[in-house]
Amino acid sequence: MTTSVTPDTTARHVGLALFALATGGFAIGTTEFVTMGLLPQIADGVGISIPTAGHVVSAYAIGVVVGAPVIAALGARTGRKRLLLGLMAVFVLGNVLSAVASSYEFLMAARFLTGVPHGAFFGIGAVVGASMVPASRRAWAVSMSMVGLPVANVIGVPLTTLMGQKLGWQAPFLAVGGLGLLTLVAVWFWVTPQPVGSDVNVRSELSALARPQVWMALLVGMVGFGGMFATYSYITPTMTELAGFSEAAVTIVLAVYGVGMTCGTVIGGRLADRNLMASLYSGLIAVMVVLGTFGWLAQTKPTAFVGVFAMGFSASILVPALQTRLMDVAHEGQSLAASLNHSTLNIANALGAWLGSVVLAAGYGYEWPSRAGAALAAAGLILALVSGLMDHQTRPHHRRLG
């Protein structure tokens, strides 16, 4: 991983550039999750049932999975700043089209389009952020470029959900479109252009897919995070059935989860800079322990708050480490690999939700999806350990103690 620290890359300039990227992450996180809280209003607005409205969420996720690798590969020869601006322009367009949609089909297409820039923006933003700082602060820069996503769960999603309930479901999409425009301006003024090297092209980006360690890192993310989503996908009934919260109070629970995510993302970046693989191992162990005990923690309101915060915190510690690990092992294909991370996290979301549904359908209570999730986290830890062992085997003469 190379960096481009120059005299112009002052601490203030780096801070403003990372703030611009985080603003985009805040907008993306808000539009991704606000839809889940407004399904009844959306269903009424376009004349469909609530279960059918749930497909709107899936359309966005499919856009993320498809868009991230395609854009990162095909945009290899495009300057990263220009690509970020183009991605945010598509994001703004998708949200505006979502707001004016009058039919289910139109809304599905608009949400798919909105999801397309998601993974590529975070992936390319991580590469840009890491390139502006010394190698010893790469993971911190990656975490700062992504911190807007968890903050959205604390501030953006609750506010826009309330906005949608009061002003109509279209209003949040227009508001997020406005945030996207602010991000465009911020990226234009604060992110330094990064010319693409002559050796960077579609083939060099795709070369990442030929590296076993890239696939190992993607599998670690998909399996490790799948365990967390097995629990989070059913957090509302878990909190109401086990802890005894009212449905209205679940909003506070979700905000606590968002605070945990934010703290985990920030601290995870610093830990990964100290020892990347150790932070990956310890993060997966933490997820495994938290999920393994969550069924008991969720039995009372005070301990449920602790469990929810710990779940958001432990899972988010992994994100900067995984993102930086992918950039390290991808070599010439950093943008593609970093973008693929977000595709696999959406696959983890689907995998975890499916696992939780299997557990519940088998007749187990709401304390059991997290226990099944702990098994997935353990599988992710095994994969990470195998990946670390592969590193030592390929560099037998360059081991360093400590």
Side-chain angles (χ1 to χ4, degrees), residues 188-214:
W188 178 270
F189 283 105
W190 292 337
V191 174
T192 303
Q194 296 188 357
V196 177
S198 58
D199 58 338
V200 177
N201 50 49
V202 175
R203 179 176 295 180
S204 67
E205 288 292 341
L206 291 176
S207 69
L209 301 180
R211 299 183 179 276
Q213 286 286 35
V214 169

Side-chain angles (χ1 to χ4, degrees), residues 48-257:
I48 55 177
S49 67
I50 292 178
T52 302
H55 297 163
V56 174
V57 178
S58 301
Y60 183 94
I62 293 170
V64 178
V65 173
V66 173
V70 172
I71 292 172
L74 296 183
R77 292 298 305 155
T78 305
R80 288 170 182 156
K81 176 177 179 177
R82 184 181 301 176
L83 192 52
L84 287 171
L85 291 170
L87 290 169
M88 194 48 55
V90 173
F91 176 79
V92 171
L93 176 62
N95 277 286
V96 172
L97 292 176
S98 299
V100 301
S102 58
S103 69
Y104 167 65
E105 294 77 12
F106 192 101
L107 182 59
M108 285 285 286
R111 296 314 291 163
F112 173 84
L113 179 65
T114 309
V116 167
H118 177 127
F121 185 88
F122 280 117
I124 294 165
V127 175
V128 169
S131 71
M132 294 188 297
V133 298
S136 61
R137 302 189 72 200
R138 292 173 306 143
W140 169 82
V142 169
S143 70
M144 291 297 98
S145 72
M146 301 172 67
V147 76
L149 181 61
V151 172
N153 284 272
V154 183
I155 302 173
V157 175
L159 287 180
T160 51
T161 299
L162 182 62
M163 179 188 298
Q165 292 169 346
K166 299 295 183 182
L167 303 177
W169 62 269
Q170 300 94 335
F173 296 129
L174 288 175
V176 171
L179 281 173
L181 287 175
L182 288 176
T183 302
L184 272 171
V185 174
V187 170
W188 178 270
F189 283 105
W190 292 337
V191 174
T192 303
Q194 296 188 357
V196 177
S198 58
D199 58 338
V200 177
N201 50 49
V202 175
R203 179 176 295 180
S204 67
E205 288 292 341
L206 291 176
S207 69
L209 301 180
R211 299 183 179 276
Q213 286 286 35
V214 169
W215 290 104
M216 288 297 294
L218 292 173
L219 280 172
V220 169
M222 183 170 64
V223 176
F225 275 91
M228 188 274 293
F229 284 119
T231 305
Y232 186 72
S233 299
Y234 304 95
I235 194 67
T236 296
T238 299
M239 291 296 101
T240 56
E241 294 289 331
L242 295 184
F245 286 103
S246 66
E247 288 192 4
V250 172
T251 303
I252 300 174
V253 174
L254 296 180
V256 170
Y257 178 81

Side-chain angles (χ1 to χ4, degrees), residues 170-400:
Q170 300 94 335
F173 296 129
L174 288 175
V176 171
L179 281 173
L181 287 175
L182 288 176
T183 302
L184 272 171
V185 174
V187 170
W188 178 270
F189 283 105
W190 292 337
V191 174
T192 303
Q194 296 188 357
V196 177
S198 58
D199 58 338
V200 177
N201 50 49
V202 175
R203 179 176 295 180
S204 67
E205 288 292 341
L206 291 176
S207 69
L209 301 180
R211 299 183 179 276
Q213 286 286 35
V214 169
W215 290 104
M216 288 297 294
L218 292 173
L219 280 172
V220 169
M222 183 170 64
V223 176
F225 275 91
M228 188 274 293
F229 284 119
T231 305
Y232 186 72
S233 299
Y234 304 95
I235 194 67
T236 296
T238 299
M239 291 296 101
T240 56
E241 294 289 331
L242 295 184
F245 286 103
S246 66
E247 288 192 4
V250 172
T251 303
I252 300 174
V253 174
L254 296 180
V256 170
Y257 178 81
V259 172
M261 285 180 66
T262 305
C263 294
T265 300
V266 173
I267 293 174
R270 296 188 180 279
L271 291 176
D273 276 331
R274 291 184 178 183
N275 191 318
L276 194 150
M277 292 305 292
S279 70
L280 194 58
Y281 301 147
S282 59
L284 285 164
I285 292 171
V287 171
M288 185 172 60
V289 171
V290 170
L291 293 180
T293 58
F294 189 80
W296 290 287
L297 293 172
Q299 300 292 332
T300 69
K301 291 179 181 178
T303 54
F305 277 125
V306 173
V308 168
F309 176 89
M311 184 167 64
F313 180 85
S314 58
S316 295
I317 283 178
L318 292 170
V319 178
L322 269 175
Q323 193 83 335
T324 306
R325 171 70 172 168
L326 275 165
M327 290 157 56
D328 283 349
V329 299
H331 299 282
E332 298 86 1
Q334 290 181 15
S335 296
L336 175 60
S339 299
L340 277 172
N341 190 34
H342 298 275
S343 293
T344 54
L345 292 183
N346 274 267
I347 295 173
N349 193 341
L351 172 66
W354 171 80
L355 176 64
S357 71
V358 169
V359 171
L360 295 172
Y364 293 94
Y366 283 106
E367 64 269 37
W368 279 97
S370 58
R371 292 167 185 169
L376 270 185
L381 176 61
I382 292 171
L383 289 169
L385 291 169
V386 171
S387 179
L389 182 61
M390 290 167 61
D391 272 348
H392 286 291
Q393 288 177 337
T394 54
R395 295 196 302 269
H397 302 296
H398 295 84
R399 295 185 184 181
R400 292 185 179 180

